[in-house]
Every structure is written in structure tokens, then in C-alpha cells.
Amino acid sequence: MTFGQTRLRWRNSKDVNEERLNSFMGKMIGDVGAAMNASLMLLGDKLGLYRALAQGGPMNAAALAKATGTAERYIQEWLSAQAASGYIEYDKPSGKFSMLPEQALALADEDSPVFLGAVGSLVGATFLDEPKITDAFKTGKGVGWNRRSECLFCGTARFFRTSYKHYLVQEWLPTLEGVVDKLKKGAVVADVGCGHGVSTRLMAEAFPKSTFYGFDYHDGSIEAARKSAREAGLSDRVHFETHSAKTFPAKGYDLVCFFDCLHDMGDPVGALKHTRSTLADDGTCMLIEPFANDRLEDNLNPIGRVYYAASTMICTPASLDQEVGLALGAQAGEARLREVARQGGFSRFRRAAETPFNLILEARP
């Protein structure tokens, strides 16, 4: 597809390179299609369309509508859009749609290590909250989690669950010095900024001799975390309380964790100072942060693109709504986080592990 076949007539058109224009417009059309389809991803996830297609396909619109209790005419349009996006497959001779195993892993299997079905909720929240963020751009003020759309909380919990389920116990905790042995014998753990408590529950299920405390300043998230702990039968040793990162009670913790939240805090230095005071003498602080290089130019890539967008719409406004408002952002990078830990009273700091999406950092007194 070309966009410069007719003579370009506007001011400074002599500076326009048609090949670059065609390339850029092609990219923009692709991005517009992705943006429009985010809502269809949300629909497909909420209505179970991906799951039904993955399990029962190949199917036509009538069959998928019957399997999911939905209207055939809407399903026909949804299927067509998904096929045009390359999210599902279309077979012209049969007129049926299906999913490749790789597509199903990303969109239909919530226990998959590459599941992205929750992305629709996150994207939806950024659009719903756009007026608040637009005002914040003008005033410089923040937008706290207590003012965000409900789908942001559920979407965040499900999005991060994918990495936590497949990496936290299996790979991240074992990279910390002596921590797994303590957890097996019976440790006391704090999960700060726990949200809905997904990370807390995963650790508790893996280490039945240890006791876990989840803290978050958002009452609604704590209520959801408590409900999930009860349903999982963990209430006897998993406790959730409403506290900020600077007020949670000290219990001589063997491990204090911050899962993808330190950069959201207004005063991360203060949070780590408080954490240092709550740790046992040989305790460990684990920071899970979005993967980022230290220089902006090294983050101009697809993952940086996602994280800078999330940082603009979610993370930075959250930090600016709190005291200090340091606003580290989701692409803070290891060097800045190391300095925050140093100011917080930690003398030992290292990158224990990494994934394409996360930095796993260990801080010790």
C-alpha cells in the first residue's frame, strides 16, 4: 500500500520523502488497527470466545455463537476482525475459523507463560481514565489508584499473574542468597504493594511453613486479596492489611518484596528506609521492576514502547499523587533503582536475574 502516489501539495512538501511517508503511514495504520482491536481482545476474553474457539475449532460464526451463548451476527464481525489482525486463522474453502497453538497460548490459555488476554482490560482502563490524565498534564498533579477505573486493578492482577506464576517460585526466588532455604524452614515475608495478592498467594502455596503479610494502601485491592486467600484456604498464614509502604508494621521479616510497584510510589526512598527498619538482621529485599536499560535510547524498542505508555498513563500519575512524588517511571533502570536503594539504607545491591519484561533485584543491609 502506498500513500504518496498523487503529487504531495502542502507547505514544505519538497522535504517529504515518499518512501519514508509510505513506511510511516503503514506503521500508523497497523497501530490504529491494534488500538481498535484492543477492545475486541477484551470482548473475546470476557465472553470466552478465544477459549471456545481454541477448544472447539475450526468453527464458523454460528457454531461459535452457539458455544458461547452470543449473537451470530456480532460473532461474524468479531471473527473477521480477529482474522484480519492475525490473531486467529481463516480457511476460505470451509468458511471456518481456528487458532494455531501459538495463538491459543497467548489468548486462550490463562495458565500459559505467554498469556496476554488481560491486556484488553489494561488498555480499556487507560481510555476510561484519559480525561483525568489529560487534566493532570495541565496541572502537573497526580492521579492516584483510588481514582482509577476498576478494570485497571483486575487487569493488572491478571497481567502480572502470568510472569509470577511461571517465574517467581521457580526461578526468581532461587537467585536470592539463602532465601529459599529460609522459606522452606519457615520465614516471615512481607509483600508490599501487593494489589490483589497474586504474588503473595503463589509464594504461600509453595512454602507452607512460612507466614506471609500483604500490604497495599488501596482498600479495594486488600478486600479482593482477602477474599482470594479465603477461597484458596490460606487465611491461617496469609494476612492482608491496608498500609502504605512507609507504615506497614515491622516483624523482623526475612524477606520483603516489591512486585512491579516501587516505581509507582511517591517516596520510594522513604519506602525502602522503612523496609530496612522492618527487616531481620540478615533479611533480604527483593525488587521486581519492569525491564529497562539505563539510557533512554536503549529503551526505544517494543517493550520500552509498552512500558513508557503504561508509565505515562498509570505509573507516573500514581507517584505524583503521593508525597514527594519522585515519579521514577516504569523505565527507571537499574542505576536509578540502585541509588534509591542506597539512599534507603541498603549497602548491597545486585541484579539477581532478568527476563525480557522484568529486572529481579536483590537489596541487603
Side-chain angles (χ1 to χ4, degrees):
M1 181 183 297
T2 61
F3 296 85
Q5 293 176 334
T6 58
R7 180 173 292 278
L8 303 175
R9 297 182 181 277
W10 61 80
R11 182 185 295 181
N12 296 327
S13 64
K14 65 182 182 209
D15 297 326
V16 174
N17 179 291
E18 289 196 21
E19 184 177 346
R20 287 201 307 264
L21 175 63
N22 288 328
S23 176
F24 181 73
M25 291 301 295
K27 170 181 169 52
M28 288 299 300
I29 292 298
D31 287 354
V32 170
M36 292 292 291
N37 274 276
S39 58
L40 301 189
M41 284 182 63
L42 178 58
L43 279 171
D45 181 56
K46 290 178 68 174
L47 296 174
L49 305 182
Y50 291 120
R51 291 188 295 275
L53 185 61
Q55 293 168 6
M59 307 169 80
N60 58 23
L64 183 57
K66 182 178 180 181
T68 55
T70 52
E72 179 182 345
R73 184 65 189 90
Y74 281 108
I75 291 297
Q76 181 65 52
E77 293 302 294
W78 182 85
L79 286 167
S80 300
Q82 297 303 285
S85 294
Y87 294 171
I88 65 175
E89 302 299 302
Y90 174 65
D91 179 64
K92 181 179 177 181
S94 67
K96 293 182 177 181
F97 301 84
S98 62
M99 297 188 78
L100 298 172
E102 297 80 9
Q103 295 165 334
L105 281 174
L107 294 168
D109 182 0
E110 190 149 356
D111 288 328
S112 156
V114 294
F115 179 69
L116 286 174
V119 167
S121 294
L122 293 175
V123 175
T126 64
F127 278 101
L128 286 172
D129 293 336
E130 170 274 321
K132 299 172 185 176
I133 304 301
T134 297
D135 288 342
F137 264 68
K138 298 174 183 177
T139 65
K141 297 180 180 179
V143 181
W145 277 77
N146 59 325
R147 296 175 55 203
R148 301 308 298 254
S149 301
E150 181 63 29
C151 56
L152 177 62
F153 310 123
C154 298
T156 298
R158 291 182 67 215
F159 177 76
F160 285 122
R161 176 184 179 273
T162 296
S163 293
Y164 301 163
K165 179 179 175 62
H166 293 279
Y167 294 105
L168 171 54
V169 172
Q170 301 91 324
E171 298 186 16
W172 296 349
L173 288 173
T175 66
L176 306 179
E177 186 178 344
V179 166
V180 169
D181 286 341
K182 293 178 183 178
L183 290 168
K184 288 179 178 178
K185 294 175 182 176
V188 181
V189 180
D191 187 354
V192 183
C194 65
H196 284 200
V198 172
S199 49
T200 327
R201 294 195 307 275
L202 288 171
M203 290 188 289
E205 289 167 354
F207 301 103
K209 292 183 178 181
S210 292
T211 302
F212 297 84
Y213 296 87
F215 303 111
D216 200 288
Y217 85 119
H218 182 246
D219 289 328
S221 292
I222 289 297
E223 290 175 7
R226 286 172 176 165
K227 181 176 184 291
S228 295
R230 287 195 301 270
E231 292 173 349
L234 296 170
S235 296
D236 59 328
R237 57 190 181 84
V238 178
H239 313 280
F240 292 101
E241 300 175 14
T242 302
H243 282 288
S244 75
K246 294 168 64 175
T247 64
F248 68 91
K251 294 182 181 293
Y253 300 107
D254 299 290
L255 175 66
V256 175
C257 308
F258 290 78
F259 288 96
D260 287 289
C261 64
L262 186 72
H263 65 274
D264 292 317
M265 296 177 182
D267 185 11
V269 173
L272 290 188
K273 283 183 179 178
H274 179 66
T275 296
R276 173 70 180 84
S277 72
T278 71
L279 278 174
D281 291 340
D282 61 344
T284 299
C285 177
M286 179 171 69
L287 306 175
I288 308 299
E289 282 287 305
F291 184 90
N293 296 295
D294 292 325
R295 299 185 304 177
L296 168 63
E297 58 266 30
D298 295 328
N299 294 321
L300 303 182
N301 52 54
I303 291 176
R305 182 190 188 199
V306 171
Y307 280 143
Y308 277 126
S311 188
T312 305
M313 296 298 292
I314 302 170
C315 309
T316 299
S319 177
L320 290 173
D321 189 60
Q322 303 168 56
E323 61 177 338
V324 180
L326 188 61
L328 283 173
Q331 294 287 268
E334 183 178 346
R336 292 189 69 194
L337 293 166
R338 180 187 298 274
E339 178 59 19
V340 167
R342 186 193 67 78
Q343 293 180 32
F346 290 90
S347 59
R348 290 177 285 174
F349 186 93
R350 70 182 181 95
R351 182 185 302 197
E354 66 181 65
T355 73
F357 294 99
N358 287 104
L359 293 173
I360 296 82
L361 305 167
E362 180 186 60
R364 304 190 69 191

